[in-house]
Amino acid sequence: MSTLKNFVNSMTGRVFLALMVGIVASAALTQWLAINERQRTLERYRTYHSLERAEQIIETTDVVRPESRAQYLAVSSKSSMRLEITTDNDLTLHPATEFSTALAQRLPRDFQVIPMAEKPPQCEQRTSTMTLFGPGTWRGTCESVKIVMTDGQVLKLSVLPPRGSIPTGHNEYAVFVPFLLCIAILAYFVTRMAVRPVKQLAQAAKDLGNDINKPPLELAGAAEIRQASAAFNAMQGRIRQHIIQRTEMLAAITHDLQTPLTRMRLRLEKVSDADLQHKLIGDLSAMQQMIREGLDLARSMDTNGTMQKLDLDSLLDSVCADAIDAGQSVELKGKAGMALLGRPLDVQRCLVNLIDNAVKYGQKAHVTVERLAGAARIRIRDEGPGIPQDQLGRVFEPFYRVETSRSRESGGTGLGLTIARNIAEQHGATLSLANGDAGGLEAVLTLPEFYAGK
């Protein structure tokens, strides 16, 4: 179940990250396109403004007397628009540009616009324009053309990049930070909405391990979620039906076998050979024990019993006292001082099996209980030889025994630990085995504490 929980948490992080990255990437792309479009608009506007100003200066200069033009041009040519007298009378035609073509169409036919091959040095040192994505370069009009006035004088018109950065609006960083915050909040709520049904399924799967008779999931939400919930409910029903059928089948087999076994025992009493009689009765008792434990194994996976609030210390005292009265060597230390939620007979069976296993293979059971944060840990250690490390996990398998002989003195049926583990898992507890440093085998049972209202 912890793996399922980790998967849901990991999925939550991945969904949140995917939403954040996707939305921020889309917003960044949109912003980049908007800034580029705004930059192009500013460049087109500046080109249009340059055409207007160039037309105005040229036509005004044409009406100024030739001897006064230099003084007028010094005053009127400012910033990125410069008109000056040139001594270069080379009127070689070069390929026309968009600006030179537009300017020629605006000026009267008496003027001649001749594009120049050389661009002003400032075109190579374009002023950077700051945007949210870093500095950009000026891509508007930057060139020089020669203007032949109506009186034949040649002037040089230079259109240069702007001196300062082109403004792109207010402080974009101050706008982008709240935007990111809003996106994070939106992604958080969308992630919660998307993952909530998965969390509900994960919790239902966890609850299913503790109580197979939990009410079915409500079919709500998106079509896919309703379909998954319906499939989960169907699975729960099939598992419950399977457990019920298996339990009923084993109970029926146990009941039906009791009659012929009883008849066999009665008939064995008439066997004249005492040694043979003793062996046959022993085998018959072993068969009856296997049948009973097989039924107990099936019942250990049944969760139909009512869960109750139990006092762990009282339960442990009772189990250990019964074991001592039965002649077993059992020692109990410590107090848990807590309550747990469980089925009394099942929890008692789990503890009895662990203690019986310790006494059977280790002669004595040392039971120690201690309180943890929200749980109690019960250690049951014996004084036996322990179990090979590679077989610690296999002893929980049904009918598996480290001792290969089938005698009652050494092995039983091999279902005791399997039943104990099933009961522990049904109560949300954990059961593990480990070899002690000083020898012997130690079973560790960790039971969760009961909290009212949960």
Side-chain angles (χ1 to χ4, degrees), residues 338-339 371-377 446-451:
M338 60 164 264
R371 178 76 175 270
L372 303 176
R377 182 165 57 195
T446 305
L447 293 161
E449 185 176 0
F450 168 71
Y451 294 97

Side-chain angles (χ1 to χ4, degrees), residues 51-68:
L51 285 172
E52 292 282 345
R53 180 157 177 75
E55 179 186 5
Q56 178 184 4
I57 295 177
I58 292 172
E59 291 182 348
T60 304
T61 304
D62 188 61
V63 299
V64 176
R65 291 183 298 179
E67 61 272 13
S68 303

Side-chain angles (χ1 to χ4, degrees), residues 90-107:
D90 183 10
L91 300 181
T92 304
L93 291 176
H94 295 283
T97 63
E98 183 179 352
F99 179 81
S100 64
T101 302
L103 181 60
Q105 293 174 352
R106 283 174 168 269
L107 293 175

